[in-house]
Every structure is written in structure tokens, then in C-alpha cells.
Amino acid sequence: MDNSKNVACFKEVMGNYPTGVTVVTTVDEQGVPLGLTVNSFASVSLDPLLVLWSIDKRVSTYETFIKTDKFAVHVLSADQGDICSLFASRDIDRFGNCEWALSEQNLPIIAGASGVMQCKTFKTIEAGDHTILIGEVVAIESENKEPLLYHKRKFGKIPDEFYI
Ligand SMILES: Cc1cc2nc3c(=O)[nH]c(=O)nc-3n(C[C@H](O)[C@H](O)[C@H](O)COP(=O)(O)O)c2cc1C
């Protein structure tokens, strides 16, 4: 089968797979905060507590995320569609346009998330045009807010009729 057809079909199938949305942050060697919107996030293990996400090798902060030994994953709440767009937009001062503070682990923490997991890098795995980053959770906070959902390039929240 023509590979471009496979790619189009892959995008259609994955676009029809609803996810939550996260923003992953870290600091570079100069202490500058960096971050991007990520929906490849998944839980991996309970003992130890491990999570994963994958980063596109074309992302401008790729080298920093590969070199760093820590990152913070923010599970976005339903009212954080603007944060999702901000951290996926180019040529904009992301941290100048949101409320955030440095944690004790020296990681940038964005205000208002449903949950935040601060992680130390456990393993990185080369995977095609992405690299998988596995993190061990070293600090975790939950506000247990309604989550932001992502489906077919649109944001939303859990509909009222979802809980039956
Ligand atoms: C909902 C959503 C999910 C995304 N998930 C990922 C992801 O899992 N991994 C990734 O590398 N980029 C992902 N992106 C794209 C990055 O957020 C985007 O390429 C990045 O912010 C570009 O950063 P740069 O301008 O620093 O290169 C996602 C974007 C959106 C809108």
C-alpha cells in the first residue's frame, strides 16, 4: 500500500482517538523555562511511578528535553484551552503569557492544572522521528479538576451525558 495513504489513515485513526492534554516543562542550562503542549502522555508503571511522553525531533526545545534530567507534566483542566494553544504556538513568549512559578525541584509549574507530576528522567528511547521520554514521578499534586479533552484537533470537556 502507498505509504502516504497509510500516513493519512494513521492520522485519521489517531485523530479520532480522544485524549487529555498536558503541558510538559523544564529549564535549560541557563535556567530559562521551556515547555510544549503534549498529548502523547501515558502512565507506565506504579512501582516505581513512571509516565511517558514522546517528543518530535523537530521541536525547538528537543535537545534541552533530551539532555535534562527532569521535567514537569501538567494535566490541563477544562478551562485551560488557552494554555494548550499557547504552548503549541510558535513565536510567542509562552511563559510571559501565563501564571507560573519555580518549584523546589527548580521546575516551572503553571498555575491552574488539574494535576502536576514532577519527574526525573528515567529513560529515553529513540522511536522514529520522535524520542520517548520516561519519567519517574518524584512529586505529585492533584486538584482533581474537570480535564481538558482533545479530539479531531478540537478541545472540549466531558459532556454531561458522559456519566451514566
Ligand atoms: C493537542 C496537541 C498535542 C500535542 N502533542 C505533542 C506531543 O505529544 N509531542 C510533541 O512533540 N509535540 C506535540 N504537539 C506539538 C507541540 O506542542 C508543538 O510542536 C510545539 O509546541 C512546537 O514547539 P516549538 O515552537 O518550540 O518547536 C502537540 C500539539 C497539540 C496542539
Side-chain angles (χ1 to χ4, degrees):
M1 190 175 165
D2 174 6
N3 193 46
S4 63
K5 275 191 187 164
N6 277 344
V7 171
C9 190
F10 181 89
K11 285 184 177 176
E12 186 170 287
V13 171
M14 293 312 296
N16 200 20
Y17 181 67
T19 64
V21 190
T22 70
V23 167
V24 183
T25 61
T26 194
V27 285
D28 71 10
E29 283 167 357
Q30 284 73 45
V32 176
L34 308 167
L36 73 157
T37 298
V38 161
N39 74 339
S40 54
F41 171 71
S43 117
V44 174
S45 159
L46 287 178
D47 185 19
L49 286 179
L50 300 177
V51 294
L52 69 74
W53 62 288
S54 62
I55 187 167
D56 190 322
K57 291 179 178 171
R58 295 168 302 180
V59 166
S60 68
T61 51
Y62 175 79
E63 293 298 336
T64 304
F65 274 105
I66 295 308
K67 277 191 216 143
T68 187
D69 59 354
K70 60 183 184 233
F71 55 83
V73 181
H74 305 71
V75 175
L76 298 188
S77 54
D79 60 3
Q80 288 187 303
D82 55 341
I83 298 290
C84 171
S85 301
L86 178 65
F87 280 83
S89 302
R90 287 175 185 264
D91 303 325
I92 188 161
D93 177 6
R94 294 175 180 174
F95 287 89
N97 283 284
C98 68
E99 198 186 321
W100 66 278
L102 278 180
S103 70
E104 279 178 19
Q105 278 84 10
N106 202 36
L107 282 166
I109 305 300
I110 299 162
S114 172
V116 181
M117 292 184 230
Q118 296 184 67
C119 303
K120 70 173 183 194
T121 305
F122 183 83
K123 197 176 220 183
T124 59
I125 302 167
E126 287 273 327
D129 56 14
H130 281 57
T131 296
I132 300 165
L133 286 102
I134 301 179
E136 180 170 356
V137 179
V138 293
I140 184 163
E141 278 175 58
S142 176
E143 297 294 329
N144 201 20
K145 292 181 179 175
E146 190 178 3
L148 183 65
L149 304 183
Y150 189 72
H151 178 241
K152 290 194 173 178
R153 296 174 171 245
K154 290 195 173 130
F155 311 125
K157 56 182 187 173
I158 293 173
D160 290 339
E161 64 271 22
F162 183 79
Y163 297 105
I164 48 174

